[in-house]
Amino acid sequence: MASRISELVLGCRDPEALARFWCEVLDFVVLDREEDGSVEIGPREGFGGPQPTLFLSRTEEPEEGKPRLHIDVNATDRDQDAELERLLKLGARPTDIGQTGEEPWHVLADPEGNVFCLLKARIDPL
């Protein structure tokens, strides 16, 4: 095994309205709400299943050079540190998009510069 897509993150102005829309489209339910108004939706079974969740992140407008959609991955058979090492060897590189350094995830760019995040322990390694 390796990593798998565990959630898709979409920047939007109205996470609640978009959550209602996508819940109807995908037959998802609200799984979590953040203090900043962001909403995470996913399958009725909850986190960690075969389908990724959709994290609707509140943003007024897309930032120049920063896409409104990015991929979050989770290691499936090793811990976050081991997966980070593997991803860096494959050609990923750390990138700064304004994080504080206190986040429980790593922000990386693929070899073409597309940003993605390596999450920490949302899915139990097999």
Side-chain angles (χ1 to χ4, degrees):
M1 282 270 174
S3 285
R4 71 175 195 106
I5 296 172
S6 56
E7 64 189 51
L8 299 173
V9 180
L10 178 62
C12 59
R13 286 183 213 81
D14 189 347
E16 287 290 339
L18 212 52
R20 286 190 298 274
F21 171 79
W22 284 109
C23 280
E24 287 296 321
V25 169
L26 301 169
D27 192 31
F28 276 11
V29 296
V30 172
L31 299 173
D32 193 23
R33 286 184 169 86
E34 300 287 323
E35 289 181 19
D36 69 355
S38 298
V39 178
E40 188 165 12
I41 64 172
R44 295 178 182 282
E45 302 80 41
F47 300 106
Q51 288 184 295
T53 63
L54 184 57
F55 189 89
L56 305 164
S57 178
R58 179 180 300 280
T59 183
E60 291 306 313
E61 294 295 329
E63 295 176 32
E64 187 67 32
K66 183 178 176 185
R68 293 185 84 181
L69 177 71
H70 72 265
I71 294 173
D72 286 347
V73 298
N74 221 291
T76 58
D77 63 347
R78 59 188 60 104
D79 68 20
Q80 185 188 39
D81 291 337
E83 185 64 357
L84 176 62
E85 183 178 332
R86 188 181 80 84
L87 294 174
L88 293 173
K89 286 179 182 175
L90 290 172
R93 63 187 186 283
T95 191
D96 183 358
I97 59 168
Q99 62 269 35
T100 66
E102 298 298 317
E103 295 83 4
W105 60 82
H106 295 278
V107 181
L108 303 167
D110 69 14
E112 291 198 10
N114 298 301
V115 175
F116 68 100
C117 295
L118 171 61
L119 301 182
K120 183 174 185 169
R122 290 280 307 267
I123 300 169
D124 291 330
L126 298 176

